[in-house]
Structure formats: C-alpha cells, structure tokens
Short mmCIF file of all heavy atoms in Angstrom, two decimals:
data_model
loop_
_atom_site.label_atom_id
_atom_site.label_comp_id
_atom_site.label_asym_id
_atom_site.label_seq_id
_atom_site.Cartn_x
_atom_site.Cartn_y
_atom_site.Cartn_z
N MET A 14 0.88 -1.21 0.05
CA MET A 14 0.04 0.01 0.01
C MET A 14 0.90 1.24 0.00
O MET A 14 1.94 1.24 0.53
CB MET A 14 -0.95 -0.01 1.26
CG MET A 14 -1.92 -1.14 1.33
SD MET A 14 -3.25 -0.97 0.13
CE MET A 14 -4.32 0.07 1.09
N GLY A 15 0.34 2.27 -0.68
CA GLY A 15 1.05 3.57 -0.61
C GLY A 15 2.13 3.68 -1.67
O GLY A 15 2.78 4.66 -1.66
N GLN A 16 2.29 2.72 -2.48
CA GLN A 16 3.29 2.83 -3.50
C GLN A 16 2.90 3.74 -4.60
O GLN A 16 1.70 4.06 -4.76
CB GLN A 16 3.56 1.40 -4.15
CG GLN A 16 2.40 0.85 -5.01
CD GLN A 16 1.38 0.07 -4.29
OE1 GLN A 16 1.14 0.29 -3.07
NE2 GLN A 16 0.73 -0.82 -4.89
N ASP A 17 3.85 4.34 -5.37
CA ASP A 17 3.47 5.23 -6.44
C ASP A 17 2.82 4.43 -7.55
O ASP A 17 3.20 3.33 -7.88
CB ASP A 17 4.80 5.87 -6.94
CG ASP A 17 5.37 6.89 -6.01
OD1 ASP A 17 4.52 7.41 -5.16
OD2 ASP A 17 6.47 7.16 -6.09
N CYS A 18 1.79 5.00 -8.15
CA CYS A 18 1.10 4.41 -9.21
C CYS A 18 1.46 5.08 -10.56
O CYS A 18 1.18 6.19 -10.69
CB CYS A 18 -0.42 4.44 -9.01
SG CYS A 18 -1.30 3.69 -10.41
N THR A 19 2.10 4.24 -11.41
CA THR A 19 2.59 4.88 -12.67
C THR A 19 1.31 5.17 -13.70
O THR A 19 1.53 5.86 -14.58
CB THR A 19 3.64 4.10 -13.40
OG1 THR A 19 3.06 2.69 -13.61
CG2 THR A 19 4.91 3.97 -12.56
N ASN A 20 0.27 4.48 -13.36
CA ASN A 20 -0.93 4.68 -14.25
C ASN A 20 -1.98 5.70 -13.68
O ASN A 20 -3.09 5.78 -14.25
CB ASN A 20 -1.63 3.35 -14.39
CG ASN A 20 -0.77 2.42 -15.23
OD1 ASN A 20 -0.03 2.74 -16.09
ND2 ASN A 20 -0.84 1.09 -14.83
N LYS A 21 -1.66 6.32 -12.60
CA LYS A 21 -2.65 7.20 -11.92
C LYS A 21 -3.35 8.16 -12.88
O LYS A 21 -4.63 8.24 -12.84
CB LYS A 21 -2.00 7.88 -10.74
CG LYS A 21 -3.06 8.62 -9.89
CD LYS A 21 -2.46 9.23 -8.63
CE LYS A 21 -3.50 9.99 -7.92
NZ LYS A 21 -2.92 10.72 -6.75
N ASP A 22 -2.56 8.92 -13.55
CA ASP A 22 -3.24 9.99 -14.44
C ASP A 22 -4.15 9.30 -15.41
O ASP A 22 -5.22 9.82 -15.69
CB ASP A 22 -2.15 10.77 -15.17
CG ASP A 22 -1.38 11.70 -14.18
OD1 ASP A 22 -1.94 11.89 -13.09
OD2 ASP A 22 -0.32 12.23 -14.62
N ARG A 23 -3.74 8.22 -16.05
CA ARG A 23 -4.58 7.53 -17.08
C ARG A 23 -5.76 7.03 -16.38
O ARG A 23 -6.85 6.99 -16.91
CB ARG A 23 -3.73 6.46 -17.69
CG ARG A 23 -4.35 5.89 -18.95
CD ARG A 23 -3.42 4.94 -19.70
NE ARG A 23 -3.03 3.83 -18.85
CZ ARG A 23 -2.16 2.92 -19.22
NH1 ARG A 23 -1.45 2.98 -20.28
NH2 ARG A 23 -1.84 1.91 -18.41
N ASN A 24 -5.59 6.36 -15.20
CA ASN A 24 -6.74 5.89 -14.51
C ASN A 24 -7.84 6.91 -14.14
O ASN A 24 -8.97 6.72 -14.31
CB ASN A 24 -6.37 5.21 -13.18
CG ASN A 24 -5.47 3.99 -13.36
OD1 ASN A 24 -5.51 3.30 -14.42
ND2 ASN A 24 -4.80 3.48 -12.41
N LEU A 25 -7.28 8.13 -13.76
CA LEU A 25 -8.25 9.17 -13.39
C LEU A 25 -9.06 9.61 -14.65
O LEU A 25 -10.21 10.12 -14.43
CB LEU A 25 -7.47 10.39 -12.84
CG LEU A 25 -6.99 10.16 -11.40
CD1 LEU A 25 -6.11 11.32 -10.93
CD2 LEU A 25 -8.25 10.06 -10.47
N GLU A 26 -8.51 9.48 -15.85
CA GLU A 26 -9.30 9.87 -17.00
C GLU A 26 -10.53 9.06 -17.22
O GLU A 26 -11.50 9.55 -17.79
CB GLU A 26 -8.43 9.75 -18.28
CG GLU A 26 -7.31 10.82 -18.28
CD GLU A 26 -6.38 10.57 -19.57
OE1 GLU A 26 -6.81 9.77 -20.44
OE2 GLU A 26 -5.36 11.20 -19.63
N VAL A 27 -10.54 7.82 -16.73
CA VAL A 27 -11.68 6.98 -16.87
C VAL A 27 -12.33 6.57 -15.49
O VAL A 27 -13.32 5.75 -15.55
CB VAL A 27 -11.28 5.66 -17.66
CG1 VAL A 27 -10.82 6.08 -19.05
CG2 VAL A 27 -10.24 4.91 -16.91
N CYS A 28 -11.79 7.10 -14.43
CA CYS A 28 -12.45 6.73 -13.09
C CYS A 28 -13.85 7.22 -13.05
O CYS A 28 -14.19 8.40 -13.30
CB CYS A 28 -11.58 7.45 -12.03
SG CYS A 28 -12.23 7.07 -10.32
N GLY A 29 -14.71 6.29 -12.61
CA GLY A 29 -16.19 6.57 -12.55
C GLY A 29 -16.52 7.02 -11.13
O GLY A 29 -17.82 7.28 -10.85
N CYS A 30 -15.67 7.13 -10.17
CA CYS A 30 -15.94 7.47 -8.83
C CYS A 30 -16.08 8.98 -8.62
O CYS A 30 -15.20 9.73 -9.16
CB CYS A 30 -14.92 6.94 -7.90
SG CYS A 30 -15.11 7.40 -6.23
N THR A 31 -17.10 9.46 -8.07
CA THR A 31 -17.27 10.95 -7.84
C THR A 31 -16.89 11.41 -6.48
O THR A 31 -17.15 12.58 -6.15
CB THR A 31 -18.75 11.32 -8.21
OG1 THR A 31 -19.64 10.53 -7.32
CG2 THR A 31 -19.10 11.02 -9.65
N TYR A 32 -16.34 10.51 -5.68
CA TYR A 32 -15.94 10.92 -4.33
C TYR A 32 -14.47 11.58 -4.45
O TYR A 32 -13.51 10.95 -4.34
CB TYR A 32 -15.90 9.74 -3.37
CG TYR A 32 -15.72 10.11 -1.89
CD1 TYR A 32 -16.59 10.88 -1.24
CD2 TYR A 32 -14.56 9.77 -1.26
CE1 TYR A 32 -16.49 11.30 0.08
CE2 TYR A 32 -14.32 10.15 0.10
CZ TYR A 32 -15.31 10.89 0.74
OH TYR A 32 -15.07 11.30 2.01
N GLU A 33 -14.53 12.91 -4.65
CA GLU A 33 -13.32 13.64 -4.98
C GLU A 33 -12.32 13.64 -3.87
O GLU A 33 -11.06 13.82 -4.10
CB GLU A 33 -13.67 15.07 -5.39
CG GLU A 33 -14.53 15.24 -6.66
CD GLU A 33 -13.87 14.98 -7.87
OE1 GLU A 33 -12.57 15.09 -7.93
OE2 GLU A 33 -14.48 14.70 -8.92
N ALA A 34 -12.78 13.56 -2.63
CA ALA A 34 -11.78 13.67 -1.52
C ALA A 34 -10.99 12.41 -1.20
O ALA A 34 -10.08 12.48 -0.38
CB ALA A 34 -12.58 14.07 -0.30
N CYS A 35 -11.30 11.34 -1.88
CA CYS A 35 -10.66 10.08 -1.56
C CYS A 35 -9.16 10.06 -1.99
O CYS A 35 -8.83 10.49 -3.16
CB CYS A 35 -11.37 9.00 -2.30
SG CYS A 35 -10.63 7.31 -2.00
N THR A 36 -8.30 9.65 -1.10
CA THR A 36 -6.85 9.64 -1.34
C THR A 36 -6.46 8.47 -2.28
O THR A 36 -5.34 8.39 -2.80
CB THR A 36 -6.08 9.52 -0.11
OG1 THR A 36 -6.43 8.35 0.60
CG2 THR A 36 -6.19 10.78 0.77
N ARG A 37 -7.45 7.55 -2.54
CA ARG A 37 -7.18 6.37 -3.38
C ARG A 37 -7.54 6.57 -4.86
O ARG A 37 -7.33 5.74 -5.60
CB ARG A 37 -7.84 5.13 -2.84
CG ARG A 37 -7.40 4.84 -1.48
CD ARG A 37 -8.21 3.61 -0.93
NE ARG A 37 -7.96 3.34 0.41
CZ ARG A 37 -8.59 3.91 1.43
NH1 ARG A 37 -9.65 4.74 1.26
NH2 ARG A 37 -8.29 3.66 2.69
N ARG A 38 -8.10 7.75 -5.12
CA ARG A 38 -8.50 7.98 -6.57
C ARG A 38 -7.33 7.85 -7.51
O ARG A 38 -6.31 8.38 -7.37
CB ARG A 38 -9.06 9.44 -6.61
CG ARG A 38 -10.47 9.53 -6.15
CD ARG A 38 -10.97 10.98 -6.25
NE ARG A 38 -10.93 11.49 -7.63
CZ ARG A 38 -11.86 11.18 -8.51
NH1 ARG A 38 -12.89 10.44 -8.26
NH2 ARG A 38 -11.68 11.69 -9.77
N GLY A 39 -7.62 7.00 -8.57
CA GLY A 39 -6.62 6.80 -9.59
C GLY A 39 -5.64 5.66 -9.25
O GLY A 39 -4.87 5.26 -9.99
N LYS A 40 -5.68 5.20 -7.99
CA LYS A 40 -4.84 4.09 -7.54
C LYS A 40 -5.72 2.82 -7.43
O LYS A 40 -6.15 2.51 -6.29
CB LYS A 40 -4.16 4.42 -6.28
CG LYS A 40 -3.29 5.61 -6.25
CD LYS A 40 -2.73 5.90 -4.85
CE LYS A 40 -1.96 7.23 -4.84
NZ LYS A 40 -1.50 7.58 -3.43
N CYS A 41 -6.01 2.24 -8.48
CA CYS A 41 -7.05 1.19 -8.56
C CYS A 41 -6.69 -0.01 -7.65
O CYS A 41 -7.61 -0.60 -7.16
CB CYS A 41 -7.25 0.71 -10.07
SG CYS A 41 -7.74 2.02 -11.07
N CYS A 42 -5.43 -0.25 -7.53
CA CYS A 42 -4.98 -1.46 -6.71
C CYS A 42 -5.34 -1.14 -5.27
O CYS A 42 -5.83 -2.06 -4.47
CB CYS A 42 -3.52 -1.72 -6.87
SG CYS A 42 -2.43 -0.35 -6.66
N GLU A 43 -5.14 0.09 -4.79
CA GLU A 43 -5.48 0.47 -3.42
C GLU A 43 -7.04 0.50 -3.29
O GLU A 43 -7.53 0.15 -2.25
CB GLU A 43 -4.91 1.75 -3.01
CG GLU A 43 -3.31 1.68 -2.90
CD GLU A 43 -2.76 3.00 -2.42
OE1 GLU A 43 -3.48 3.80 -1.72
OE2 GLU A 43 -1.61 3.22 -2.57
N CYS A 44 -7.71 0.97 -4.28
CA CYS A 44 -9.11 1.22 -4.27
C CYS A 44 -9.81 -0.16 -4.07
O CYS A 44 -10.66 -0.28 -3.21
CB CYS A 44 -9.50 1.83 -5.56
SG CYS A 44 -11.29 2.07 -5.84
N ILE A 45 -9.43 -1.12 -4.85
CA ILE A 45 -10.19 -2.40 -4.78
C ILE A 45 -9.81 -3.18 -3.50
O ILE A 45 -10.67 -3.77 -2.92
CB ILE A 45 -9.96 -3.27 -6.07
CG1 ILE A 45 -10.95 -4.44 -6.05
CG2 ILE A 45 -8.53 -3.76 -6.13
CD1 ILE A 45 -11.46 -4.85 -7.31
N GLN A 46 -8.63 -3.08 -3.03
CA GLN A 46 -8.21 -3.66 -1.79
C GLN A 46 -9.09 -3.13 -0.63
O GLN A 46 -9.51 -3.85 0.19
CB GLN A 46 -6.73 -3.53 -1.53
CG GLN A 46 -5.84 -4.37 -2.35
CD GLN A 46 -4.35 -4.06 -2.13
OE1 GLN A 46 -3.97 -3.86 -1.00
NE2 GLN A 46 -3.57 -3.99 -3.24
N HIS A 47 -9.23 -1.81 -0.65
CA HIS A 47 -9.89 -1.10 0.40
C HIS A 47 -11.39 -1.54 0.42
O HIS A 47 -11.92 -2.00 1.47
CB HIS A 47 -9.85 0.39 0.24
CG HIS A 47 -10.86 1.21 1.00
ND1 HIS A 47 -10.68 1.30 2.37
CD2 HIS A 47 -12.01 1.79 0.66
CE1 HIS A 47 -11.73 2.10 2.88
NE2 HIS A 47 -12.49 2.32 1.80
N HIS A 48 -11.94 -1.58 -0.77
CA HIS A 48 -13.38 -1.88 -0.79
C HIS A 48 -13.67 -3.40 -0.51
O HIS A 48 -14.59 -3.78 0.08
CB HIS A 48 -14.02 -1.50 -2.12
CG HIS A 48 -14.30 0.03 -2.08
ND1 HIS A 48 -15.26 0.62 -1.26
CD2 HIS A 48 -13.74 1.02 -2.73
CE1 HIS A 48 -15.19 1.90 -1.38
NE2 HIS A 48 -14.29 2.23 -2.34
N LEU A 49 -12.90 -4.29 -1.11
CA LEU A 49 -13.08 -5.67 -0.90
C LEU A 49 -12.90 -6.08 0.61
O LEU A 49 -13.61 -6.83 1.15
CB LEU A 49 -12.04 -6.56 -1.71
CG LEU A 49 -12.42 -6.63 -3.21
CD1 LEU A 49 -11.34 -7.48 -3.91
CD2 LEU A 49 -13.83 -7.27 -3.45
N LYS A 50 -11.97 -5.40 1.27
CA LYS A 50 -11.78 -5.60 2.69
C LYS A 50 -13.11 -5.32 3.44
O LYS A 50 -13.31 -5.92 4.57
CB LYS A 50 -10.62 -4.74 3.22
CG LYS A 50 -10.15 -5.02 4.62
CD LYS A 50 -8.81 -4.23 4.90
CE LYS A 50 -9.19 -2.77 4.79
NZ LYS A 50 -8.00 -1.91 5.01
N ASN A 51 -13.90 -4.36 2.93
CA ASN A 51 -15.13 -3.90 3.58
C ASN A 51 -16.29 -4.53 2.94
O ASN A 51 -17.43 -4.06 3.06
CB ASN A 51 -15.17 -2.37 3.57
CG ASN A 51 -14.16 -1.78 4.49
OD1 ASN A 51 -14.08 -1.96 5.64
ND2 ASN A 51 -13.16 -1.11 3.86
N LYS A 52 -16.12 -5.64 2.24
CA LYS A 52 -17.17 -6.28 1.46
C LYS A 52 -17.93 -5.31 0.54
O LYS A 52 -19.21 -5.25 0.52
CB LYS A 52 -18.19 -6.96 2.45
CG LYS A 52 -17.51 -8.15 3.21
CD LYS A 52 -18.43 -8.92 4.07
CE LYS A 52 -18.03 -10.15 4.62
NZ LYS A 52 -16.66 -10.17 5.19
N GLN A 53 -17.15 -4.62 -0.21
CA GLN A 53 -17.67 -3.61 -1.13
C GLN A 53 -16.96 -3.75 -2.47
O GLN A 53 -16.03 -4.44 -2.60
CB GLN A 53 -17.47 -2.13 -0.57
CG GLN A 53 -18.16 -1.88 0.70
CD GLN A 53 -17.77 -0.61 1.30
OE1 GLN A 53 -16.74 0.01 0.91
NE2 GLN A 53 -18.57 -0.02 2.30
N LEU A 54 -17.43 -2.94 -3.44
CA LEU A 54 -16.78 -2.82 -4.74
C LEU A 54 -16.52 -1.36 -5.04
O LEU A 54 -17.18 -0.48 -4.48
CB LEU A 54 -17.70 -3.37 -5.85
CG LEU A 54 -17.85 -4.96 -5.76
CD1 LEU A 54 -18.97 -5.41 -6.64
CD2 LEU A 54 -16.55 -5.65 -6.17
N PRO A 55 -15.55 -1.09 -5.83
CA PRO A 55 -15.11 0.28 -6.22
C PRO A 55 -16.37 1.01 -6.93
O PRO A 55 -17.18 0.33 -7.63
CB PRO A 55 -13.97 0.16 -7.16
CG PRO A 55 -13.35 -1.12 -6.78
CD PRO A 55 -14.53 -2.09 -6.40
N GLY A 56 -16.31 2.27 -6.88
CA GLY A 56 -17.34 3.08 -7.50
C GLY A 56 -17.59 2.82 -9.01
O GLY A 56 -18.67 2.89 -9.52
N CYS A 57 -16.47 2.49 -9.64
CA CYS A 57 -16.50 2.22 -11.10
C CYS A 57 -17.35 0.95 -11.48
O CYS A 57 -17.60 0.77 -12.67
CB CYS A 57 -15.15 2.15 -11.77
SG CYS A 57 -14.07 0.80 -11.00
N CYS A 58 -17.70 0.10 -10.47
CA CYS A 58 -18.50 -1.10 -10.74
C CYS A 58 -19.99 -0.80 -10.83
O CYS A 58 -20.78 -1.67 -11.16
CB CYS A 58 -18.28 -2.09 -9.65
SG CYS A 58 -16.54 -2.64 -9.62
N PHE A 59 -20.36 0.51 -10.51
CA PHE A 59 -21.79 0.78 -10.49
C PHE A 59 -22.23 1.76 -11.53
O PHE A 59 -21.44 2.59 -11.97
CB PHE A 59 -22.05 1.50 -9.08
CG PHE A 59 -21.85 0.53 -7.93
CD1 PHE A 59 -20.48 0.49 -7.37
CD2 PHE A 59 -22.76 -0.10 -7.31
CE1 PHE A 59 -20.19 -0.33 -6.31
CE2 PHE A 59 -22.58 -0.96 -6.23
CZ PHE A 59 -21.24 -1.06 -5.73
N PRO A 60 -23.49 1.69 -11.96
CA PRO A 60 -24.01 2.75 -12.88
C PRO A 60 -23.96 4.05 -12.18
O PRO A 60 -24.05 4.18 -11.00
CB PRO A 60 -25.41 2.25 -13.21
CG PRO A 60 -25.73 1.22 -12.23
CD PRO A 60 -24.47 0.70 -11.52
N PRO A 61 -23.85 5.10 -12.87
CA PRO A 61 -23.64 6.47 -12.26
C PRO A 61 -24.67 6.87 -11.25
O PRO A 61 -24.28 7.43 -10.20
CB PRO A 61 -23.77 7.43 -13.56
CG PRO A 61 -23.38 6.63 -14.72
CD PRO A 61 -23.79 5.20 -14.42
N GLU A 62 -25.93 6.53 -11.46
CA GLU A 62 -26.95 6.95 -10.47
C GLU A 62 -26.77 6.21 -9.18
O GLU A 62 -27.10 6.77 -8.05
CB GLU A 62 -28.35 6.74 -11.04
CG GLU A 62 -28.77 5.38 -11.25
CD GLU A 62 -28.34 4.82 -12.65
OE1 GLU A 62 -27.48 5.43 -13.32
OE2 GLU A 62 -28.91 3.72 -13.08
N VAL A 63 -26.28 5.03 -9.20
CA VAL A 63 -26.00 4.22 -7.89
C VAL A 63 -24.64 4.64 -7.31
O VAL A 63 -24.54 4.76 -6.11
CB VAL A 63 -26.11 2.73 -8.19
CG1 VAL A 63 -25.83 1.88 -6.92
CG2 VAL A 63 -27.39 2.35 -8.82
N GLU A 64 -23.73 4.88 -8.17
CA GLU A 64 -22.40 5.33 -7.75
C GLU A 64 -22.59 6.58 -6.85
O GLU A 64 -21.90 6.73 -5.87
CB GLU A 64 -21.48 5.62 -8.94
CG GLU A 64 -20.03 5.93 -8.54
CD GLU A 64 -19.77 7.35 -8.04
OE1 GLU A 64 -20.56 8.17 -8.54
OE2 GLU A 64 -18.96 7.51 -7.13
N ALA A 65 -23.43 7.46 -7.37
CA ALA A 65 -23.60 8.80 -6.69
C ALA A 65 -24.12 8.62 -5.24
O ALA A 65 -24.04 9.54 -4.46
CB ALA A 65 -24.45 9.67 -7.48
N SER A 66 -24.70 7.47 -4.99
CA SER A 66 -25.23 7.31 -3.58
C SER A 66 -24.18 6.92 -2.61
O SER A 66 -24.36 6.92 -1.40
CB SER A 66 -26.37 6.09 -3.59
OG SER A 66 -25.69 4.82 -3.82
N PHE A 67 -23.03 6.58 -3.13
CA PHE A 67 -21.79 6.11 -2.34
C PHE A 67 -22.06 4.81 -1.61
O PHE A 67 -21.28 4.48 -0.69
CB PHE A 67 -21.29 7.16 -1.41
CG PHE A 67 -20.83 8.32 -2.11
CD1 PHE A 67 -21.29 9.68 -1.74
CD2 PHE A 67 -20.01 8.32 -3.22
CE1 PHE A 67 -20.82 10.83 -2.34
CE2 PHE A 67 -19.53 9.47 -3.82
CZ PHE A 67 -20.03 10.70 -3.43
N ASP A 68 -23.18 4.08 -1.92
CA ASP A 68 -23.38 2.74 -1.38
C ASP A 68 -22.65 1.75 -2.28
O ASP A 68 -23.03 1.47 -3.39
CB ASP A 68 -24.90 2.41 -1.34
CG ASP A 68 -25.14 1.05 -0.77
OD1 ASP A 68 -24.19 0.33 -0.44
OD2 ASP A 68 -26.37 0.73 -0.53
N ARG A 69 -21.47 1.26 -1.73
CA ARG A 69 -20.59 0.39 -2.59
C ARG A 69 -20.76 -1.10 -2.20
O ARG A 69 -19.90 -1.87 -2.52
CB ARG A 69 -19.11 0.81 -2.27
CG ARG A 69 -18.78 2.32 -2.42
CD ARG A 69 -18.70 2.64 -3.85
NE ARG A 69 -17.98 3.92 -4.08
CZ ARG A 69 -18.52 4.95 -4.67
NH1 ARG A 69 -19.70 4.90 -5.17
NH2 ARG A 69 -17.80 6.11 -4.84
N SER A 70 -21.80 -1.46 -1.45
CA SER A 70 -22.00 -2.79 -0.92
C SER A 70 -22.26 -3.78 -2.11
O SER A 70 -22.75 -3.40 -3.21
CB SER A 70 -23.18 -2.79 0.06
OG SER A 70 -24.42 -2.52 -0.62
N PHE A 71 -22.01 -5.03 -1.89
CA PHE A 71 -22.28 -6.14 -2.78
C PHE A 71 -23.81 -6.10 -3.09
O PHE A 71 -24.18 -6.36 -4.17
CB PHE A 71 -21.88 -7.51 -2.21
CG PHE A 71 -20.37 -7.68 -2.10
CD1 PHE A 71 -19.99 -8.64 -1.17
CD2 PHE A 71 -19.46 -6.99 -2.89
CE1 PHE A 71 -18.49 -8.83 -1.04
CE2 PHE A 71 -18.09 -7.19 -2.74
CZ PHE A 71 -17.70 -8.11 -1.80
N LYS A 72 -24.61 -5.84 -2.02
CA LYS A 72 -26.02 -5.86 -2.24
C LYS A 72 -26.45 -4.75 -3.16
O LYS A 72 -27.30 -4.99 -4.06
CB LYS A 72 -26.70 -5.63 -0.86
CG LYS A 72 -28.20 -5.75 -0.79
CD LYS A 72 -28.69 -5.67 0.57
CE LYS A 72 -30.20 -5.77 0.65
NZ LYS A 72 -30.70 -5.60 2.01
N ALA A 73 -25.90 -3.60 -3.06
CA ALA A 73 -26.27 -2.44 -3.97
C ALA A 73 -25.79 -2.82 -5.43
O ALA A 73 -26.46 -2.54 -6.37
CB ALA A 73 -25.55 -1.18 -3.52
N PHE A 74 -24.62 -3.53 -5.51
CA PHE A 74 -24.20 -3.90 -6.77
C PHE A 74 -25.08 -4.88 -7.46
O PHE A 74 -25.52 -4.72 -8.69
CB PHE A 74 -22.82 -4.59 -6.65
CG PHE A 74 -22.24 -5.19 -7.94
CD1 PHE A 74 -21.64 -4.37 -8.80
CD2 PHE A 74 -22.41 -6.57 -8.23
CE1 PHE A 74 -21.05 -4.91 -10.05
CE2 PHE A 74 -21.93 -7.05 -9.38
CZ PHE A 74 -21.23 -6.22 -10.30
N ALA A 75 -25.58 -5.91 -6.70
CA ALA A 75 -26.53 -6.94 -7.25
C ALA A 75 -27.84 -6.25 -7.67
O ALA A 75 -28.39 -6.58 -8.72
CB ALA A 75 -26.77 -8.00 -6.25
N LYS A 76 -28.29 -5.36 -6.77
CA LYS A 76 -29.54 -4.75 -7.05
C LYS A 76 -29.46 -3.84 -8.34
O LYS A 76 -30.37 -3.81 -9.20
CB LYS A 76 -29.97 -3.87 -5.88
CG LYS A 76 -31.32 -3.19 -6.06
CD LYS A 76 -31.76 -2.39 -4.80
CE LYS A 76 -33.13 -1.68 -5.00
NZ LYS A 76 -33.33 -0.72 -4.00
N ALA A 77 -28.37 -3.08 -8.42
CA ALA A 77 -28.13 -2.17 -9.58
C ALA A 77 -28.16 -2.94 -10.92
O ALA A 77 -28.62 -2.32 -11.92
CB ALA A 77 -26.83 -1.42 -9.34
N TRP A 78 -27.57 -4.06 -10.90
CA TRP A 78 -27.50 -4.76 -12.19
C TRP A 78 -28.51 -5.95 -12.25
O TRP A 78 -28.44 -6.83 -13.27
CB TRP A 78 -25.99 -5.39 -12.27
CG TRP A 78 -25.01 -4.35 -12.35
CD1 TRP A 78 -24.09 -3.96 -11.37
CD2 TRP A 78 -24.81 -3.41 -13.51
NE1 TRP A 78 -23.35 -2.86 -11.81
CE2 TRP A 78 -23.75 -2.48 -13.07
CE3 TRP A 78 -25.39 -3.18 -14.65
CZ2 TRP A 78 -23.33 -1.39 -13.88
CZ3 TRP A 78 -24.99 -2.11 -15.46
CH2 TRP A 78 -23.90 -1.30 -15.10
N GLY A 79 -29.49 -5.96 -11.36
CA GLY A 79 -30.56 -6.96 -11.48
C GLY A 79 -30.18 -8.45 -11.33
O GLY A 79 -30.66 -9.30 -11.94
N LEU A 80 -29.15 -8.60 -10.45
CA LEU A 80 -28.61 -9.99 -10.28
C LEU A 80 -29.38 -10.74 -9.13
O LEU A 80 -29.96 -10.19 -8.35
CB LEU A 80 -27.09 -9.91 -9.84
CG LEU A 80 -26.24 -9.10 -10.94
CD1 LEU A 80 -24.81 -9.06 -10.41
CD2 LEU A 80 -26.26 -9.98 -12.23
S1 SF4 B 15 -14.21 3.89 -5.31
FE1 SF4 B 15 -13.83 4.21 -3.11
S2 SF4 B 15 -11.61 3.84 -2.84
FE2 SF4 B 15 -12.03 4.11 -4.96
S3 SF4 B 15 -11.61 6.25 -5.44
FE3 SF4 B 15 -13.73 5.96 -5.05
S4 SF4 B 15 -14.03 6.35 -2.80
FE4 SF4 B 15 -11.91 6.08 -3.22
#
C-alpha cells in the first residue's frame, strides 16, 4: 500500500468514482483492496446513479445490475 502508481493519471481519466476527497482516486490497486476488505466494490463497478449514492455494498451492486 502507498506505492507510487505509474498509471494514476490515465486511471483518473476513466475513473467513474465521484468521491473527490478520496486519497485512493486513480490508484485502482489500493481502491479495490480497500473496498473488498469492507465487502464492497469500487465506484466504477456501479452505474452512475447508484455510484452517486456512495453505497458500494455487494447488495447495492447486485440490485443495480438486477442480479
Ligand atoms: S471507489 Fe472508493 S476507494 Fe476508489 S476512489 Fe472512489 S471512494 Fe476512493
């Protein structure tokens, strides 16, 4: 954790997360580790209207995609 990400700028160009204050933005390896540890998924896994709710739970993911 905390390593420099050489892809950060490129990742930010396509990042679907709108939580601007997050220190993990653009560092996808840290992002997914953080969310999986909390039984969640990163914001980019959700459609925009669900992402905006900041509910990153597996349950919200399944509901969003009709699973
Ligand atoms: S999905 Fe979560 S960890 Fe990733 S950038 Fe957004 S708020 Fe941060």
Side-chain angles (χ1 to χ4, degrees):
M14 298 287 274
Q16 72 273 28
D17 289 336
C18 179
T19 56
N20 293 325
K21 186 176 178 186
D22 290 343
R23 193 173 60 188
N24 290 343
L25 284 173
E26 288 177 14
V27 296
C28 180
C30 179
T31 59
Y32 189 65
E33 299 283 342
C35 181
T36 58
R37 298 178 188 88
R38 281 177 57 79
K40 300 178 186 174
C41 302
C42 51
E43 292 186 19
C44 176
I45 192 147
Q46 287 175 39
H47 167 74
H48 282 293
L49 285 178
K50 189 173 61 184
N51 293 296
K52 295 185 168 49
Q53 299 172 341
L54 290 166
C57 57
C58 296
F59 298 85
E62 66 276 15
V63 181
E64 186 284 326
S66 74
F67 299 131
D68 182 352
R69 309 282 197 236
S70 66
F71 293 157
K72 188 175 177 181
F74 175 84
K76 184 178 176 190
W78 297 109
L80 303 175

